[in-house]
């Protein structure tokens, strides 16, 4: 076996909704990952057959681990990538966990002067409204963002929409879509040079699988 194939690769994997789809894609690409890991609570998972070690991270922290080089590569949603703006290479659109970033509010929302916008994504929201030439006050929340317009904390929210069920069940509507979201493969800049063949090989395997799936 060549040196390239035995080199341990540290992979920052997002716990939660992306993980199942990401691990399935890895398996489809021929990377041997057991499916019983999906419900594991282990934070560091050794995968000797794959020559990998998974670091099970909170999704928002994946770009941080990769930027600092404690993970060579990582999988992260485009939403987090845009918000965190970390110094990493974005290698591949994995075309999984598709959703969108939207401006959301009550159906009868009317423009107001200096509206309040609640969001988990303050950088994304600020940049969007700045580009639109609209002055807004951005309020950072950490979850259940849909509460904000319902209880009068904010006029609108910027949040991700996947199935639309949360909006529907809370009587909210999308006013504008800001951008589409899918998960991306990212790499540490130094790892990408030092472990280039290994990372490129995985990238090629994943890309071929994505293309084959159409
Ligand atoms: C996300 C997002 C929306 C919801 C959208 O929240 O912030 O609330 O999912 O999904 P849907 O369109 O399929 O309903 P998440 O589940 O991550 O929890 P959070 O509210 O704690 O952020």
């Amino acid at each position: 076996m060549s040196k390239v194939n035995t080199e341990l690769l540290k992979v920052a994997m997002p716990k939660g909704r992306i993980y199942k789809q990401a691990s399935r894609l890895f398996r489809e690409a021929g990377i041997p990952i057991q499916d019983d890991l999906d419900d594991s609570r282990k934070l560091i998972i050794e995968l000797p057959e794959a020559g990998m070690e998974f670091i099970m991270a909170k999704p928002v922290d994946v770009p941080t681990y990769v930027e600092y080089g404690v993970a060579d590569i990582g999988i992260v949603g485009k939403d987090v990538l845009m918000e965190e703006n970390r110094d990493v290479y974005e290698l591949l659109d994995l075309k999984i966990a598709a959703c969108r970033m939207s401006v959301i509010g009550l159906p009868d929302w009317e423009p107001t002067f200096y509206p309040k916008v609640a969001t988990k994504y303050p950088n994304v929201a600020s940049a969007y409204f700045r580009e639109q030439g609209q002055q807004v006050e951005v309020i950072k929340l950490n979850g259940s963002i849909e509460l904000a317009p319902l209880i009068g904390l904010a006029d609108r929210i910027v949040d991700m929409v996947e199935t639309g069920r949360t909006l529907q069940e809370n009587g909210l509507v999308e006013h504008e879509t800001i951008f589409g979201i899918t998960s991306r493969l990212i790499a540490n800049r130094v790892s990408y040079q030092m472990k280039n063949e290994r990372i490129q090989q995985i990238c090629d395997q994943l890309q071929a699988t994505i293309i084959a799936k159409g």
Side-chain angles (χ1 to χ4, degrees):
M1 201 182 276
S2 72
K3 180 176 173 286
V4 162
N5 290 330
T6 57
E7 198 165 20
L8 180 74
L9 206 66
K10 295 190 178 187
V11 185
M13 286 296 253
K15 289 192 285 185
R17 70 170 80 203
I18 298 175
Y19 179 75
K20 274 188 187 191
Q21 293 184 55
S23 59
R24 193 185 315 131
L25 180 66
F26 272 49
R27 280 192 288 274
E28 286 166 350
I31 300 163
I33 292 164
Q34 308 93 289
D35 49 13
D36 62 358
L37 297 180
D38 289 8
D39 298 320
S40 170
R41 293 287 174 104
K42 279 194 82 170
L43 296 175
I44 299 174
I45 301 175
E46 287 167 21
L47 298 158
E49 280 185 36
M52 290 180 180
E53 182 177 276
F54 280 1
I55 296 159
M56 303 304 294
K58 197 172 158 74
V60 71
D61 292 331
V62 166
T64 308
Y65 294 127
V66 173
E67 183 187 87
Y68 281 89
V70 292
D72 299 305
I73 60 172
I75 290 178
V76 63
K78 186 69 178 174
D79 53 330
V80 170
L81 218 43
M82 299 279 282
E83 178 63 23
E84 292 296 307
N85 198 23
R86 291 281 175 180
D87 186 20
V88 295
Y89 285 130
E90 183 180 332
L91 299 180
L92 187 62
D93 181 350
L94 300 173
K95 308 239 164 93
I96 56 168
C99 51
R100 55 197 181 271
M101 184 70 70
S102 295
V103 181
I104 293 156
L106 289 161
D108 58 359
W109 174 79
E110 303 253 341
T112 50
F113 177 70
Y114 205 52
K116 292 191 181 78
V117 176
T119 186
K120 257 190 299 197
Y121 303 92
N123 294 327
V124 165
S126 299
Y128 173 74
F129 286 108
R130 200 166 42 243
E131 276 165 26
Q132 301 290 310
Q134 292 180 46
Q135 278 200 314
V136 301
E137 179 182 345
V138 173
I139 302 171
K140 167 84 164 46
L141 291 177
N142 295 301
S144 301
I145 314 300
E146 290 82 358
L147 273 174
L150 301 179
I151 59 176
L153 176 66
D155 303 279
R156 290 190 285 174
I157 64 173
V158 167
D159 200 12
M160 57 167 253
V161 180
E162 190 177 18
T163 62
R165 199 174 146 200
T166 310
L167 299 188
Q168 203 181 13
E169 292 191 8
N170 291 287
L172 296 166
V173 293
E174 283 177 89
H175 292 296
E176 289 132 42
T177 300
I178 304 180
F179 54 82
I181 300 167
T182 47
S183 298
R184 309 298 161 109
L185 180 70
I186 59 171
N188 171 267
R189 289 185 181 276
V190 175
S191 299
Y192 190 66
Q193 308 303 328
M194 304 299 287
K195 301 183 180 180
N196 185 270
E197 270 187 75
R198 177 89 163 99
I199 292 174
Q200 200 53 54
Q201 183 189 40
I202 287 163
C203 207
D204 292 347
Q205 278 173 275
L206 290 170
Q207 189 158 31
T209 307
I210 294 160
I211 290 168
K213 283 166 69 143

